[in-house]
């Protein structure tokens, strides 16, 4: 599995929104500043996340993006899928029918892929939120949240 900046930044942005009162809205500029992300790239990701129904947008001076659902209802798998992150198990590789090793290892990689995908869909934004809040508490109240 290779996680690109697209997936990493999307998770950071939604985690940032989960830490805001009422889960947003927050402007792209504010999220980008808090998370040290490039605002134009973040805007494109948030548009994809909005199309997937994970965030909503509000226009105007007090507008921005907010979570469309409670953090417990948004999984890490949904976030990654929304921005086009995929985890294909050895894409394009078919086992050679003459070699038992190919069949065994191919089956192993498929099983690992299923387990990883299952895990990504069971980890919620709420889980990440509580991890972030625990870390903040350990650092003292004056710390700012940056993923």
């Amino acid at each position: 599995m290779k996680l690109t900046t697209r997936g990493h930044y999307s998770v950071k942005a939604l985690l940032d929104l989960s830490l805001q009162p009422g889960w947003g809205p927050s402007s792209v500029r504010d999220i980008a500043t808090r998370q040290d992300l490039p605002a134009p790239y973040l805007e494109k990701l948030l548009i994809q996340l909005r199309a997937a129904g994970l965030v909503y947008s509000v226009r105007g001076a007090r507008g921005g993006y907010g979570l469309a659902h409670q953090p417990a209802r948004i999984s890490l798998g949904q976030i990654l899928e929304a921005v086009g992150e995929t985890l294909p198990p050895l894409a394009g590789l078919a086992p050679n029918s003459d070699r038992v090793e190919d069949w065994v290892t191919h089956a192993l990689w498929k099983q690992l892929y299923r387990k990883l995908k299952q895990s990504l869909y069971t980890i919620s934004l709420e889980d990440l939120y509580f991890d972030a809040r625990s870390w903040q508490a350990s650092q003292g109240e004056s710390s700012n949240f940056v993923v």
Side-chain angles (χ1 to χ4, degrees):
M1 173 187 168
K2 180 179 179 184
L3 182 64
T4 67
T5 56
R6 182 175 51 226
H8 182 67
Y9 289 0
S10 298
V11 172
K12 284 178 67 160
L14 290 186
L15 186 52
D16 183 274
L17 289 176
S18 77
L19 292 162
Q20 303 311 309
W23 308 314
S26 247
S27 73
V28 172
R29 185 181 70 235
D30 288 345
I31 298 167
T33 300
R34 285 191 298 264
Q35 297 305 319
D36 193 26
L37 302 174
Y41 188 50
L42 179 59
E43 176 87 45
K44 291 176 185 177
L45 295 172
L46 288 166
I47 290 169
Q48 290 179 300
L49 292 162
R50 185 185 67 202
L54 299 178
V55 297
Y56 66 89
S57 61
V58 177
R59 290 181 178 219
R62 296 186 157 262
Y65 289 89
L67 294 181
H69 307 286
Q70 296 176 0
R73 295 189 53 220
I74 300 173
S75 74
L76 189 54
Q78 288 173 299
I79 297 167
L80 296 176
E81 183 181 311
V83 295
E85 293 283 35
T86 59
L87 306 170
L90 302 174
L93 181 66
N96 183 331
S97 61
D98 295 336
R99 304 190 75 179
V100 68
E101 298 88 355
D102 285 350
W103 282 104
V104 171
T105 56
H106 191 264
L108 169 68
W109 295 125
K110 283 177 60 175
Q111 181 180 4
L112 288 173
Y113 166 74
R114 283 193 304 273
K115 294 287 187 184
L116 178 58
K117 191 171 181 180
Q118 179 184 12
S119 293
L120 289 174
Y121 281 89
T122 58
I123 299 169
S124 72
L125 196 53
E126 182 179 60
D127 296 329
L128 301 178
Y129 167 88
F130 285 124
D131 287 346
R133 286 296 189 205
S134 294
W135 181 85
Q136 280 182 315
S138 74
Q139 301 300 307
E141 291 186 32
S142 64
S143 67
N144 288 329
F145 174 72
V146 177
V147 180

